Amino acid sequence: MTYERKGRYIVEFQDIPKARQHHIEIPVEERRNNYNEVELGFDEERALQEAKRCLSCRRCLGCALCWAECKTEAINFDMKDEYFDLEADTIIISAGVERPIERVNPLFGLGKNNNIITDLQLERMLSASGPSAGLVIRPHDGEIPASIAFVQSYASASPQMHRAALFLGINEAILVRRKLPGAEISLFGQDLAPFLEEQKEALKGLDRIEIREAVVSALTPAENQSLQVTVESNGTQETRTFDLVVLLTQPQISQDVKNLSKKLGLTMSYANFLAQDVTGLISTEKETLKLTAVQ
């Protein structure tokens, strides 16, 4: 197996879209016999050009400020990419999936209300190394939510992907229950019957977590940045207020998995996966490659 260790810093000066703007300087003749400032800064045109360049650079500019500030001399601008050939008896590959927010229904207003977050954002919040050190809080004001709604944010998905989304949501609900024993926790989703039947025994152990077959037709801001959740179920409509809403996102196969499968000669079995003929997104008959469970 060939392993590539990338250089830590990409300093490809030739790839910078535009050259740096230089400060305006007074002519040499005007510097003699006085203490006038030599550098006059940017005029409007140069300032605009410099601002546009910074917005489009996309990478390290080689300004070396990080190198100047790093007291441990850990930054090495001369470090090059290196390739190593490693021998291993077995390679274990974890496929994983992505959960793009572009697939979230705009109806739910993700990004417009701070107290509407995705399942991945909640996952980070639940982690001890996350932004709130494991505390479940409302992003808007840092208060502990008294009620949390998990809402399916996609209209439909393949059974396997839908199952994966529900697993993540329910597991997160269980973790939230452990941290917030008194909180009201509800999960609203569609096409739940197969999942509920399959996991019937496991779900009996849930502690006051409501799982309800329903369509959420509206999320409306309420007082104190809470959300009014309009739920339609069995021909009836109901509106309830929650302090925090977690959107269940639709997983999809990642581009990294596609690239890795191509490099290693693995078989992409996505179609079979969707048809529930296999348990993984990728498969292989190579004895030296092992695949972890997906999702």
Side-chain angles (χ1 to χ4, degrees):
M1 180 181 71
T2 300
Y3 166 73
E4 178 184 4
R5 186 172 70 181
K6 286 284 189 181
R8 287 183 177 180
Y9 306 98
I10 303 173
V11 193
E12 300 174 4
F13 295 96
Q14 70 276 13
D15 193 50
I16 297 176
K18 295 180 181 178
R20 279 178 177 273
Q21 295 293 312
H22 294 283
H23 288 177
I24 299 172
E25 298 181 354
I26 61 175
V28 175
E29 294 75 18
E30 297 180 14
R31 303 178 190 179
R32 295 171 181 160
N33 303 319
N34 62 63
Y35 297 101
N36 292 339
E37 192 73 38
V38 173
E39 293 186 343
L40 302 179
F42 294 152
D43 58 13
E44 182 176 353
E45 178 61 24
R46 293 191 186 200
L48 288 172
Q49 291 301 320
E50 180 68 3
K52 290 178 180 177
R53 186 187 70 88
C54 290
L55 290 173
S56 64
C57 61
R58 310 187 316 279
R59 61 178 60 193
C60 172
L61 296 175
C63 68
L65 285 176
C66 57
W67 177 77
E69 293 296 324
C70 181
K71 306 302 181 185
T72 57
E73 300 181 351
I75 297 172
N76 181 3
F77 283 96
D78 296 324
M79 183 178 288
K80 305 296 182 184
D81 294 351
E82 296 180 80
Y83 293 86
F84 299 90
D85 289 327
L86 303 178
E87 292 186 5
D89 294 332
T90 303
I91 299 174
I92 302 175
I93 300 169
S94 178
V97 293
E98 294 176 340
R99 296 173 183 272
I101 60 173
E102 293 78 11
R103 294 193 173 190
V104 173
N105 189 334
L107 164 74
F108 298 120
L110 180 63
K112 297 180 181 178
N113 185 306
N114 291 334
N115 292 329
I116 301 174
I117 63 176
T118 69
D119 43 13
L120 279 187
Q121 289 173 311
L122 178 63
E123 184 178 87
R124 289 296 301 142
M125 192 182 289
L126 289 166
S127 171
S129 62
S132 60
L135 286 176
V136 179
I137 60 174
R138 291 175 17 128
H140 176 70
D141 51 17
E143 295 293 328
I144 303 298
S147 54
I148 302 174
F150 291 80
V151 174
Q152 180 178 327
S153 69
Y154 51 89
S156 62
S158 69
Q160 291 282 46
M161 291 301 188
H162 187 40
R163 182 172 177 269
L166 293 174
F167 263 127
L168 177 61
I170 291 174
N171 282 330
E172 288 185 339
I174 293 171
L175 293 175
V176 171
R177 166 60 67 222
R178 292 174 184 172
K179 292 176 178 288
L180 305 177
E184 174 189 353
I185 302 175
S186 300
L187 186 149
F188 303 108
Q190 304 170 51
D191 302 321
L192 298 182
F195 178 83
L196 296 179
E197 177 61 26
E198 178 188 272
Q199 302 298 323
K200 180 169 55 178
E201 293 303 317
L203 295 176
K204 287 180 179 178
L206 293 183
D207 179 14
R208 294 169 290 133
I209 297 175
E210 176 192 21
I211 301 179
R212 184 171 169 184
E213 175 83 31
V215 175
V216 173
S217 57
L219 288 180
T220 308
E223 189 177 359
N224 298 326
Q225 289 291 309
S226 293
L227 282 307
Q228 288 186 330
V229 181
T230 302
V231 178
E232 297 180 1
S233 178
N234 296 324
T236 63
Q237 188 177 83
E238 176 187 4
T239 299
R240 296 164 57 180
T241 302
F242 290 89
D243 288 341
L244 181 68
V245 170
V246 180
L247 299 179
L248 301 183
T249 55
Q250 181 181 357
Q252 70 173 25
I253 189 169
S254 72
Q255 188 59 46
D256 287 342
V257 171
K258 295 177 182 177
N259 295 338
L260 183 64
S261 299
K262 187 176 181 180
K263 286 182 179 178
L264 299 180
L266 305 178
T267 302
M268 294 294 301
S269 51
Y270 193 51
N272 292 335
F273 174 75
L274 296 182
Q276 303 185 62
D277 291 337
V278 296
T279 57
L281 293 168
I282 54 178
S283 62
T284 181
E285 295 180 352
K286 296 182 179 180
E287 296 181 356
T288 54
L289 294 178
K290 305 296 182 185
L291 306 176
T292 64
V294 181
Q295 292 93 48

